[in-house]
Amino acid sequence: MRKMIRGLTYDTETADEIATGSHGHEMSDAWWRLYRTPSGVFFEVAADHDGVVTEFSPLTDLQARRFLEVNANSLVERYFGPLPEAVRSLFSRRAIIAAIDVLEIGLTQAEISSLFTEFGPEIYDELTNNGSAKSRMVELKRYIDRNPLRQVDDGILENVLVERAIRFLPALEPEHPWSSPPASRPEFDRLRRALSQDGFFVTAGELRRELPADVGLPNAEAELMRLLDRHGLSTAKGHLDQAFKNHAAGNWASANSQIRSFIESLFDDLAVKMDSAAAAKKPGHERRTHLSNVSPPLFDRSLNEWDDHSKGFINGLMARLHPHGSHPGLSDEEDSTFRLHIVLLTARFFLTRYDRTTT
């Protein structure tokens, strides 16, 4: 079978047949086959339910790879080499959304079109080339939600968007000792704070980690939210949501209050879930002590996680979160971010331990 398409010849007699797919139904003779020419160009031939050839189409390498992923997955790496292992995005959804808002400010319509085109046809074919910059960026946000971990030439699309957006963030310090700090915008501040929540900061136009890479704060947050939902810990989850919102808005004292309320509520509720007798105990210290005495304990005394003389890890953590009694004093971004990070990781650790006891 031989066909000329846009001045080029595609011949099944001289090409290699790579893979075939079908409905696998006795009532249908439809099939589709992938071929590769001697020079390495892919094309597809397809037949309808009567077995009559109705399609003869050249394919890009990307389209051919997708064909194999669906119809002959074991052949993908034979023809396209080793593919990268799936990894999660470095950033939370709120950081990605904030990054897109910054790109909306920094890019012209023509530059937005260029950006979408750079990401490849899989993306620009789904995104409109008209409308306002805001409407196009709203489409991009929706695309990200529909297509998590979409790979582009420079890596995962979510990561690339954040890396592009930070180029538009102005320096926080004045250029000269005698000049004023550069003016900021709410969109810039939201992105900086979202990155801070994820464990990153921007300096000299470069992204830097506040914590080691293996901490994985966005992953920890996602897993924590899943476990909170799974175990019906809605009060604790509500406090955590408020902590993130206040931190993102720069309300440090309010964020600190919600951070402590979250961890207190989490431990109080877990004490009752692990032993109904804990409901008769006072919330706070008494229930946390109970969590070190139940069997199996949530707080392991042998690991110095709890101590009756306030020398354990949890004892120290609670003291660090509330150093000014019932009226937390003024705080700054660095202190509030530290509290958020350490509580996020601690809560995920102990909630995962609790989750294992219920399965």
Side-chain angles (χ1 to χ4, degrees):
M1 193 181 310
R2 189 166 181 264
K3 190 165 185 178
M4 273 65 72
I5 303 173
R6 292 191 290 274
L8 298 174
T9 300
Y10 298 86
D11 191 344
T12 59
E13 296 298 322
T14 58
D16 292 328
E17 182 180 326
I18 305 300
T20 300
S22 69
H23 293 300
H25 194 282
E26 61 182 9
M27 299 297 290
S28 175
D29 291 326
W31 52 262
W32 41 93
R33 295 186 185 128
L34 178 67
Y35 292 87
R36 189 173 70 166
T37 68
S39 63
V41 176
F42 293 97
F43 64 97
E44 179 183 2
V45 180
D48 62 15
H49 291 293
D50 295 323
V52 178
V53 172
T54 57
E55 184 177 339
F56 209 113
S57 306
L59 300 182
T60 65
D61 284 0
L62 178 60
Q63 290 170 325
R65 193 194 75 201
R66 282 192 157 189
F67 183 104
L68 291 179
E69 288 175 349
V70 173
N71 299 286
N73 198 270
S74 62
L75 298 179
V76 172
E77 293 193 319
R78 178 189 297 183
Y79 290 95
F80 296 98
L83 299 180
E85 185 174 353
V87 296
R88 297 182 69 94
S89 172
L90 294 172
F91 309 102
S92 62
R93 182 179 184 274
R94 73 180 152 268
I96 297 161
I97 295 300
I100 294 174
D101 288 339
V102 169
L103 289 173
E104 178 189 325
I105 295 170
L107 298 175
T108 65
Q109 283 279 28
E111 289 168 337
I112 292 174
S113 297
S114 177
L115 182 70
F116 291 176
T117 303
E118 181 182 332
F119 291 151
E122 284 190 311
I123 296 174
Y124 68 68
D125 282 347
E126 290 198 35
L127 301 175
T128 184
N129 197 34
N130 50 48
S132 66
K134 178 171 289 296
S135 65
R136 298 179 72 188
M137 288 307 190
V138 168
E139 279 194 57
L140 179 59
K141 292 174 185 177
R142 292 172 176 168
Y143 179 88
I144 291 290
D145 285 339
R146 294 193 307 270
N147 300 274
L149 307 183
R150 171 67 73 194
Q151 192 77 22
V152 296
D153 288 345
D154 293 332
I156 296 174
L157 178 59
E158 292 100 311
N159 295 346
V160 173
L161 289 170
V162 174
E163 290 161 2
R164 296 295 181 89
I166 65 172
R167 300 176 185 176
F168 293 98
L169 295 181
L172 294 176
E173 301 298 326
E175 184 177 0
H176 305 288
W178 59 86
S179 58
S180 301
S184 189
R185 296 183 56 145
E187 294 85 355
F188 298 155
D189 295 336
R190 280 197 293 271
L191 177 55
R192 290 186 190 277
R193 289 168 186 160
L195 291 173
S196 179
Q197 290 175 1
D198 290 348
F200 293 88
F201 65 97
V202 179
T203 179
E206 297 289 335
L207 201 61
R208 297 286 185 265
R209 291 184 182 273
E210 292 182 347
L211 297 170
D214 55 3
V215 169
L217 281 171
N219 299 349
E221 180 191 342
E223 176 67 4
L224 179 56
M225 290 298 189
R226 184 186 71 81
L227 291 173
L228 289 170
D229 285 335
R230 176 176 178 175
H231 296 290
L233 297 161
S234 57
T235 301
K237 183 181 178 182
H239 287 302
L240 185 58
D241 284 337
Q242 287 300 312
F244 275 114
K245 289 177 181 177
N246 278 287
H247 185 278
N251 301 323
W252 313 125
S254 296
N256 293 346
S257 176
Q258 292 295 331
I259 290 167
R260 182 176 174 95
S261 294
F262 159 68
I263 200 72
E264 286 179 330
S265 175
L266 175 65
F267 291 152
D268 284 346
D269 290 348
L270 287 181
V272 176
K273 285 181 175 291
M274 295 186 76
D275 181 7
S276 59
K281 298 181 178 295
K282 291 182 179 180
H285 182 80
E286 286 191 16
R287 292 193 186 182
R288 291 194 288 274
T289 301
H290 196 73
L291 285 172
S292 69
N293 295 327
V294 293
S295 182
L298 187 68
F299 301 151
D300 192 334
R301 291 173 180 267
S302 69
L303 297 177
N304 296 320
E305 292 173 355
W306 184 261
D307 181 85
D308 291 332
H309 303 288
S310 299
K311 295 181 179 179
F313 170 73
I314 296 297
N315 308 96
L317 173 64
M318 301 309 296
R320 175 61 179 84
L321 295 178
H322 213 336
H324 301 292
S326 59
H327 301 285
L330 295 177
S331 180
D332 59 18
E333 181 174 0
E334 183 177 9
D335 174 62
S336 186
T337 301
F338 171 76
R339 296 181 193 218
L340 182 64
H341 287 173
I342 195 169
V343 163
L344 187 64
L345 296 173
T346 300
R348 195 271 297 265
F349 177 81
F350 285 106
L351 191 49
T352 299
R353 179 183 286 177
Y354 167 75
D355 184 64
R356 288 197 297 266
T357 69
T358 64
T359 57

